Structure formats: C-alpha cells, structure tokens
Amino acid sequence: MDIKEEEGADTSTSGIQVYLRIRPSSNPSTHIQRDDIDVNKILFQVPKQEDEIVNNSKSSYSFQFNGILDEKAKQKDVFRTIGLPVMKNALAGYNSTIFAYGQTGSGKTFTITGAPERYDDRGILPRTISHLFKTIKGNRTDGTSYTCYVSYLEIYNQSGYDLLAEHGGSSFEDIPKVTMLEDECGHFHFKNLSIHSVSSEEEALNLLFVGDTNRAIAATEMNQNSTRSHCIFTIILECRRTGEDTVVRSKLNIVDLAGSERVSRTSSAGQTLREAKYINSSLFFLEMVIIALHEKKKKDNVHVPYRNSMMTSVLRDSLGGNCKTVMIATISLEPQHTDESISTCNFAQRVALVKNEVSIKEEIEPELVIRRLRAEVKRLRDEVAFLQGKKNGDCSDDEDENCHFPQHEINELTDAVTKYVQDFDERSQLDFCGGITLPKIRAVCAIFKRMILNLNQSKQDKDIERGDSSGEEEASDTRNVELKAKREETKRYSALQRNEKNETSQKRTELTSYIKHENVCGVPVCNDEQVLIEPTSAFSWFQDRYPGLSALEKKKASLKAKYSEAKDGGKKIEEIRSRIRYHKEAIEKLRGNHAISISEENLFDENNLISQEMFHTDAINKEKIEYNDTLEYLRKLKGNIEHSQKAVEKVRAKMQADFDVWYREVCSRERSLVTHRNKPVIATQPPLGGNVISPARVSVSKSPDDTSSTTNPTIQHQRQQMLPVVAEKKREEQEFQLPPGVKLTGNKEADDDIIAFFKAKQVLLSRTSLLKK
C-alpha cells in the first residue's frame, strides 16, 4: 500500500531527556552524593592516590540530569516519571524511544523489563503495554480507533534476530537473520523481521514473554543473568478518527542495551569474551554517533557514522531524527565501580546535548479516500436517478397514495435507519436500499416518527412507574391530613363551647409546644424575638447550640497545632542551613590559611588541617541528614495541613447551610404563630371544607446559594418580614389591659395563662355583642 505523507505538519525541537537511576547497594561509596540545593544534580568526589608522582587528574565531577531516581525509587515511580509521559507522546502521534544505558549489572534490564518474581517488580515495558491498552479502550467512545502492532528485535554479535519468529531450532544458527535494506530516501527496511497485530493487553504481554524467553543470557562474575545482546521492542500505533481520511502513525521503541564491561574485571573467556568484544564495539560506535551529532550543530558537513553498526542504524531516527527520546543511565554505588559510573554520566551529558526535530506523522490513506469517494458517487447517482424519474418501479405523485411496500422492504429500511442512527460519523449517509424514491422517503420519515414516539412513550412509562408509588403515598397522606385536621377542628369547637378556659389554655399550648420542644438541624427553636430580629445574634445563638461545634473546635485546634509545628520546622531548617554555612566557611578559612602559610614558607601542621577538615566535613554530613529528614517531615506535614484545612472549611460550610435552614424555619413558624393568635378562638360554625392551617404545614423556602448569614438576600428578606410580626405582637400587648383588680402572680406560665384567658374572654364578649346587633 502506497502511503503519501501529508506535508506541512507542525515541527518542533526536542532535546533528549536524560534520567539517572541508582541501584541500591549494601556497601555504598562515600564519594557519590546528591546536591543539597538541586536534587537533579549528582556529585563525585574521587580521592587522589597518595604517592610521590604528581597527580593532576580531575577529582571532582558534577552532572546535571532531568531527574534522579535514587535507590529508594520503586518500579511504579520509574514508570510514572519516565514511561507514562513517553506513552502519552506515542498516543499523541509522536515517535518515541526509551533506552537504558549503563555498566553490566547496574539494573538496565530490571528497569526496562522487570523481574518475574513479584508483580510490583514489573518494568517500564509491561507497565507501558498495560496502560496503553487501557487508554485505547477509553478513547473508543469519541470515535477514535487504534490499530497496534509489535515486533521484537535482538542484535547479538552485530547480527539481527527476530525473537518472535516461529522456529523449531535450538540455536541462533537455526533462526533466519534480520537484514537491513536502505531505500533511495535513506529509510531502513527490515527483512525477516515479523510484525504481529495485537488487539489486547494479554496478546502483547504473551509476545513479550516469548521474546524474553529467547534472549541470549550468560553468567559473568559481575552479573549472574547478564544479557549478551541489545534488544528493541517496538510498538507501532495507527490512529484513525471517524469521518477523516488521514491516519496518524507513530512508533514507540523500548531499548535494553547490553551493559559495557571491562574484561579484566569480568574474567571473560571464550564465547563470553567474544560477546563482550561485540558489545563494547557497538557501544563505542554509539558514542561516536552521539559525538558526531553534537558536532553537527556547529558544522554542517559533519558525517554521522550510523552504518558502523547495526544498533546505530536501527536507532537512527531515535538519536537524530523525528523522535522524542528519553535515556535512562544506570549506575552502581559500589566503590570499585565509581570510574564506570563517572563514564556513564559523561556519556549521558553528551546525549543530553542532541536535539531532534519532532513532528506528528499524519498521512492520507488511499483506502479510506476510495471508500469515501465510492459512497459519494453512489449517493450522487441515486439522487440523479431520483430527480430524473428513471428508476424502475417508482410511483408518480398521483399514484403515491396507492403505492405500498412489501414487509421485507420495510424491515430493510428500518434496519438501515437504525444503523444510520447508531453511527457516530457525522458525514455518514442513509442507505435507501436500492435507490432514493419519493415513497421510500416518506416511508423513512414514518420510521423516524415511529422511533421517536416509541422513545417518548417508553420515557413516559418509566416516569409513571417511578411516580406511581410516590404519588399514591402523597395523595393518601394529603387526604389523611385533611380528615385529621377537620376532626381536630371539630373537637376544638365542641370543647371550646363546653369549657372556655380549658379551650383557651389548650389552644395556646398547641400553638407554642412545637416551637419549644422541636429541633431543626439538631438545634432547638428560638422563641426570643430580640435574638431573631438580628441575623448576627441569631447565628451566635445557633452556633452555641450547634451539635457539630465541638468537632469544629477540635479540628481548628489540630490545624493550629500543625501550623505551629510547620513554623518550628521552618526555623529548624534555617538553623541547619546556618550551621552548614558556618562549617563550609570554616573549611574555606582553613584552606586559605594553609595556602598563605605555604606561600610564606611558614611551618603548618598538615595533620591538624586534615583533622579539622574531617571534623567540619562530618558535621556537614550530619547536618545534611538532619536537613533531609526535616524537609521530608515538612512535606508530609504540608499534606496534613491541607487536608485539615479542607475538613475545617467543610464543617464551616455545613454549619452555615444548617443555620440558613434553621433561621428560615424559625422565622416561618413565628409568623404562623402570630397569625393564629390574631384569629378568633370561637367560630360560628366548624369548617366543613378547605384545609386547616397548622404549624406542621408551614412552607419552607428553598436554600439560598449564598451561605453568608449577614449578606444573604433571603435572610435580609426574612428579617424584613419579621419586623411586622414583632410589631404586631407589641401592639397587642399595648392594646390589651387586664381588668381592674386582677393582679399577676409573678410566675410566667401562670401569668401567660391568665392573660390568655382574659384575651379569649374579651374576644367572646366582642363577638356576642356583634351577634346581638
């Protein structure tokens, strides 16, 4: 299939990102340490050999990385830092590469592939496969489809082998070698390298397991399971979007390079020695390519020796082409491997200087274009035939009313309409099953109408089913409440006729008992109008009795204590920094005095200088350990403080919302109480119809959006409504006066009953006079 790449794609410059991973060691070197200020910088302090020969070699090294994964980093941390961003770049359409480089036994294969003993020890490669297919599955809903292919290439002794090839031999000689062919455009093609289509995570992991089983592994003195070849696992992605003629292709290369080794240390011999020679030579050619790419930025006519080895030819695009590349440098902390660790870091610094021009490879796929054009031609032909009226079996406008379709044609049109509705492609066309005619258009319109009616009917049925039970219960409750209210009103009327005093007391008790003994949001209802008239005083009254106040106070106290701890930790950090600066200045002062004494040919105690420097150096190391521990404690404390702040704000918001509900309910009930007090106690006839207003049926307004107690518009409105209520009660108290000779007892409940009795008596007398007139 010929593919034409679309021109004009956006390009950008991307440098190779370099990360350092440190293998844990039981005997770490004291010459390697991380910088105190820049956590992505590592320092090497190599002591010089004490002999009579003048040694001017460099003893201090400093290397900068994009990130450092220390010996405490887990496999999931490595994937989250390195693997996940690279996988997202591949899904976005960029070619991406991850390759691990380092000394043999430093953890390259463990970082890339992982260990089979534990599930948590999975490396970057299996984790990338798992997350890749999970992401692909989640993107299917937006009309995007992915096709995935994998291949596994091994370069052993400068020869390529397919690790996924089906063969019955037991040695490399039985496997066909993979050869590289270069076309006129400079692109490499692989012969005898199989590419497998995978549609699930399980299929891809099975192929990875088969390839790892076929890898060349041997035991050396430095590594019992040393990989003796370079391996490249390639994932090819093709992304197609519904309604578009283009396909986006990207490659994700995950490379596990064989480790460099010194024969004098590994004591290799025979076949192992021959493998070590090929490994070291290929890594040497890789370093030559990196150096040439760096020089090419300064000069245009620099030749890059990609063809020197098969590995550099395969990694041509990753090192200097259209690819976003990430390198993982692995080192060991053992003192005997310090020189190899410095060499690895030097190589990583050279790799970081290489810049790649990256762009999304979006291509036009002829098959999609041909399929779309054929569908468009068919649609246009049907439209022309319909407009010209040349279609056999068509009905004219006059005969259309008598033109009927067989049932199987109606079924075919229904299936075509259903398929058209379920298609996500906005540019898809409806298949009229043989041509567009006026009767078919009307039949399709009828099918659409029937589908919409059925959908609306099913929705109504569901609403009716959900609402039947609740509606019946509400209607039954309403009828019961009305009947109960009528009975209660009748009882009140009869009892009031028999006993005026008992009825007056019962009326007052019924109107006030629900206010005195009922709680709203866990807080008792307030009867004091002076408190309710001002929202601020009402909130203070509510807050003192709120059940969640103690929990809020505890959370605030805990948050305050954490703030105090953070403040003390900050002071401790500053003190540690000042002590480190003091020791460093002391060391510099000692060295300056030593230099002055040498220049002036004065005697100076060398042993005393060394001992004092060792004292200050040990003090600095102890302070650094304490600094790191305190810093880690402050990081954890910061997370706890943020969590406590969110908890306090949540409790405050809930208390404010409960206060709004409580305040509205109290104001509504207070208005209802005043209304009942203003009504006559005795009616000329009991109510036979209509609803009885009772305190339990007072409506409550919806909660406002703003929870502020002082600026809420709803509360301000309720405050304005409370003013006439309080004024009405005061006016009643001023108008009503006890008869002469009647004195109050001083007991509030007894006085209230006496006043209520004379008020009711006054109402009865006024009504009696009205009836006589």
Side-chain angles (χ1 to χ4, degrees):
M1 182 177 63
D2 296 332
I3 302 297
K4 181 181 178 182
E5 185 170 354
E6 189 176 34
E7 301 294 337
D10 295 334
T11 60
S12 60
T13 302
S14 174
I16 297 180
Q17 295 184 355
V18 180
Y19 291 86
L20 178 68
R21 187 175 191 188
I22 304 173
R23 178 178 177 174
S25 174
S26 58
N27 182 27
S29 173
T30 59
H31 309 313
I32 305 175
Q33 58 184 352
R34 296 177 69 176
D35 189 77
D36 297 329
I37 306 301
D38 191 353
V39 294
N40 294 329
K41 181 184 292 186
I42 189 167
L43 306 175
F44 289 83
Q45 296 290 342
V46 181
K48 296 182 180 180
Q49 297 181 356
E50 297 180 359
D51 50 20
E52 297 179 356
I53 302 174
V54 177
N55 187 359
N56 292 326
S57 61
K58 188 176 180 181
S59 61
S60 179
Y61 300 88
S62 175
F63 301 102
Q64 183 74 35
F65 293 88
N66 293 99
I68 296 179
L69 302 166
D70 57 14
E71 57 272 17
K72 297 181 182 179
K74 298 181 180 180
Q75 292 286 72
K76 61 180 181 181
D77 301 326
V78 177
F79 173 74
R80 190 183 301 112
T81 304
I82 301 174
L84 189 59
V86 174
M87 185 206 71
K88 291 181 179 179
N89 290 335
L91 287 173
Y94 293 100
N95 294 334
S96 305
T97 298
I98 301 175
F99 73 94
Y101 177 93
Q103 180 190 8
T104 180
S106 59
K108 299 182 300 302
T109 303
F110 180 77
T111 300
I112 296 297
T113 307
E117 287 79 9
R118 295 195 313 160
Y119 182 77
D120 291 339
D121 290 339
R122 293 175 301 153
I124 291 178
L125 182 51
R127 290 177 185 269
T128 299
I129 292 174
S130 300
H131 281 73
L132 179 66
F133 281 96
K134 289 179 182 178
T135 307
I136 289 175
K137 185 178 180 181
N139 291 342
R140 290 177 180 174
T141 56
D142 59 356
T144 303
S145 62
Y146 289 90
T147 306
C148 185
Y149 305 92
V150 299
S151 65
Y152 209 170
L153 173 65
E154 180 183 37
I155 302 175
Y156 176 75
N157 293 348
Q158 292 294 354
S159 299
Y161 298 93
D162 184 9
L163 293 177
L164 303 180
E166 298 179 359
H167 59 86
S170 59
S171 62
F172 281 108
E173 288 75 11
D174 300 329
I175 306 176
K177 292 185 179 181
V178 176
T179 57
M180 298 184 64
L181 304 176
E182 187 176 5
D183 57 17
E184 63 276 5
C185 299
H187 298 151
F188 288 103
H189 302 273
F190 298 94
K191 184 180 180 181
N192 296 329
L193 179 62
S194 60
I195 299 178
H196 300 261
S197 175
V198 291
S199 58
S200 65
E201 174 187 351
E202 182 180 1
E203 294 179 7
L205 291 177
N206 288 337
L207 292 176
L208 173 63
F209 175 76
V210 171
D212 288 339
T213 305
N214 295 330
R215 289 192 65 176
I217 299 175
T220 64
E221 290 188 2
M222 297 182 64
N223 190 358
Q224 292 298 320
N225 296 310
S226 176
T227 54
R228 313 305 295 169
S229 61
H230 311 296
C231 290
I232 304 170
F233 190 91
T234 303
I235 302 174
I236 303 173
L237 293 174
E238 294 182 355
C239 175
R240 296 176 176 84
R241 293 179 176 84
T242 304
E244 297 183 4
D245 300 332
T246 58
V247 57
V248 178
R249 289 186 172 90
S250 60
K251 288 194 306 182
L252 173 57
N253 297 319
I254 302 179
V255 185
D256 181 16
L257 298 178
S260 61
E261 58 185 66
R262 296 191 179 185
V263 178
S264 60
R265 294 183 180 178
T266 58
S267 301
S268 302
Q271 181 66 21
T272 307
L273 177 60
R274 182 168 175 267
E275 293 169 349
K277 291 179 181 179
Y278 279 110
I279 291 172
N280 290 335
S281 63
S282 61
L283 295 177
F284 172 72
F285 291 138
L286 175 62
E287 187 169 2
M288 289 180 59
V289 169
I290 296 299
I291 294 173
L293 289 172
H294 179 52
E295 293 178 352
K296 193 175 181 180
K297 295 193 302 180
K298 304 176 183 178
K299 302 177 183 179
D300 295 335
N301 56 351
V302 176
H303 170 68
V304 182
Y306 287 114
R307 296 184 181 88
N308 285 355
S309 68
M310 186 175 185
M311 182 188 66
T312 54
S313 299
V314 173
L315 298 178
R316 180 173 182 174
D317 289 337
S318 301
L319 298 176
N322 178 18
C323 185
K324 289 189 173 183
T325 305
V326 176
M327 172 187 171
I328 306 174
T330 59
I331 63 173
S332 300
L333 289 179
E334 285 77 4
Q336 63 270 24
H337 301 322
T338 302
D339 52 349
E340 286 290 339
S341 299
I342 294 175
S343 176
T344 300
C345 293
N346 275 323
F347 177 76
Q349 302 305 301
R350 297 192 191 102
V351 172
L353 298 176
V354 178
K355 304 293 182 181
N356 291 345
E357 297 290 336
V358 296
S359 62
I360 296 178
K361 190 177 181 182
E362 189 173 15
E363 304 168 346
I364 297 177
E365 193 165 23
E367 290 183 357
L368 296 177
V369 178
I370 293 172
R371 191 183 308 164
R372 178 178 58 82
L373 293 178
R374 284 179 177 174
E376 187 174 357
V377 169
K378 182 178 180 301
R379 179 180 60 82
L380 293 175
R381 286 179 177 175
D382 292 340
E383 290 181 1
V384 170
F386 169 71
L387 294 174
Q388 292 179 350
K390 295 182 179 179
K391 205 64 175 167
N392 295 331
D394 289 356
C395 300
S396 62
D397 295 341
D398 297 334
E399 300 173 352
D400 185 61
E401 296 295 334
N402 299 324
C403 186
H404 299 285
F405 288 104
Q407 185 62 35
H408 70 277
E409 292 188 7
I410 296 294
N411 295 335
E412 290 179 358
L413 285 174
T414 304
D415 295 339
V417 170
T418 304
K419 184 178 179 182
Y420 171 71
V421 171
Q422 295 176 351
D423 193 354
F424 288 102
D425 188 1
E426 297 180 355
R427 299 189 301 176
S428 61
Q429 301 293 329
L430 177 62
D431 183 13
F432 279 85
C433 303
I436 302 175
T437 61
L438 189 59
K440 283 187 178 182
I441 292 175
R442 293 181 176 176
V444 168
C445 293
I447 292 172
F448 273 114
K449 183 177 180 180
R450 186 163 58 251
M451 292 175 65
I452 295 174
L453 292 175
N454 292 337
L455 182 63
N456 293 336
Q457 184 63 35
S458 62
K459 185 176 180 181
Q460 292 176 2
D461 293 341
K462 291 181 180 178
D463 294 339
I464 291 173
E465 290 177 1
R466 287 195 299 265
D468 280 344
S469 58
S470 61
E472 292 177 359
E473 293 177 358
E474 291 178 359
S476 177
D477 293 342
T478 303
R479 289 192 296 270
N480 293 335
V481 169
E482 291 177 354
L483 292 175
K484 185 177 180 180
K486 291 178 180 179
R487 294 193 191 100
E488 293 293 334
E489 188 67 21
T490 304
K491 289 180 181 179
R492 295 193 192 97
Y493 174 77
S494 302
L496 192 61
Q497 292 282 357
R498 292 192 301 269
N499 192 335
E500 176 183 305
K501 180 178 179 180
N502 292 339
E503 175 59 25
T504 303
S505 177
Q506 180 183 357
K507 184 73 175 180
R508 180 172 185 82
T509 302
E510 184 179 296
L511 291 173
T512 58
S513 61
Y514 77 99
I515 294 181
K516 293 181 179 179
H517 303 290
E518 187 173 351
N519 292 344
V520 178
C521 298
V523 179
V525 176
C526 179
N527 299 326
D528 192 352
E529 294 84 1
Q530 299 298 329
V531 174
L532 298 177
I533 196 65
E534 183 64 36
T536 304
S537 59
F539 182 77
S540 300
W541 195 93
F542 173 86
Q543 187 179 13
D544 295 338
R545 295 160 179 78
Y546 187 66
L549 182 63
S550 60
L552 177 62
E553 295 298 331
K554 290 181 181 179
K555 292 181 183 297
K556 289 169 65 177
S558 175
L559 181 61
K560 186 177 180 181
K562 290 176 182 177
Y563 273 126
S564 179
E565 292 179 12
K567 188 176 180 181
D568 295 339
K571 293 180 180 179
K572 187 176 180 181
I573 287 289
E574 292 299 327
E575 292 175 358
I576 294 173
R577 285 179 177 174
S578 63
R579 290 198 294 267
I580 290 176
R581 284 195 297 268
Y582 166 74
H583 290 295
K584 287 184 177 180
E585 290 173 358
I587 292 174
E588 294 295 331
K589 187 176 180 180
L590 287 173
R591 291 176 180 175
N593 294 336
H594 177 58
I596 293 173
S597 64
I598 293 176
S599 63
E600 295 179 354
E601 298 182 355
N602 294 329
L603 296 177
F604 193 86
D605 191 356
E606 187 73 22
N607 294 329
N608 186 24
L609 172 65
I610 295 175
S611 62
Q612 290 184 9
E613 282 192 2
M614 290 293 295
F615 169 76
H616 290 292
T617 303
D618 294 340
I620 289 174
N621 293 332
K622 292 179 181 178
E623 295 293 345
K624 287 180 179 178
I625 294 173
E626 186 178 1
Y627 176 84
N628 292 331
D629 293 341
T630 307
L631 196 61
E632 183 66 24
Y633 171 74
L634 287 178
R635 290 196 185 103
K636 294 180 181 179
L637 187 61
K638 179 183 178 183
N640 295 334
I641 289 175
E642 292 177 353
H643 178 74
S644 300
Q645 286 177 340
K646 292 180 181 178
V648 170
E649 293 300 328
K650 186 177 180 180
V651 175
R652 283 178 176 172
K654 186 178 184 305
M655 182 174 68
Q656 186 64 60
D658 291 344
F659 170 71
D660 293 340
V661 176
W662 178 86
Y663 193 69
R664 284 194 306 273
E665 183 71 13
V666 171
C667 294
S668 300
R669 294 185 179 190
E670 189 67 26
R671 290 194 301 271
S672 176
L673 179 61
V674 173
T675 303
H676 279 281
R677 287 175 177 173
N678 292 337
K679 284 186 177 182
V681 179
I682 299 177
T684 56
Q685 60 180 4
L688 300 177
N691 298 330
V692 178
I693 298 177
S694 64
R697 296 182 62 188
V698 176
S699 62
V700 181
S701 60
K702 293 184 178 180
S703 175
D705 294 335
D706 190 0
T707 59
S708 175
S709 62
T710 58
T711 60
N712 196 319
T714 304
I715 295 178
Q716 296 293 340
H717 178 67
Q718 293 170 351
R719 180 182 176 185
Q720 297 296 329
Q721 290 180 337
M722 282 293 299
L723 294 176
V725 173
V726 177
E728 181 67 20
K729 294 178 68 175
K730 291 182 178 181
R731 186 180 61 79
E732 290 181 4
E733 294 175 358
Q734 293 176 358
E735 291 181 357
F736 176 75
Q737 294 182 356
L738 290 174
V742 178
K743 297 182 180 180
L744 298 177
T745 63
N747 188 341
K748 186 175 185 304
E749 294 183 359
D751 293 341
D752 291 341
D753 292 338
I754 293 173
I755 294 172
F757 169 77
F758 282 104
K759 282 185 178 180
K761 182 178 180 180
Q762 183 178 355
V763 172
L764 287 173
L765 293 175
S766 61
R767 289 204 168 187
T768 304
S769 61
L770 289 173
L771 290 175
K772 290 181 180 180
K773 290 179 180 181

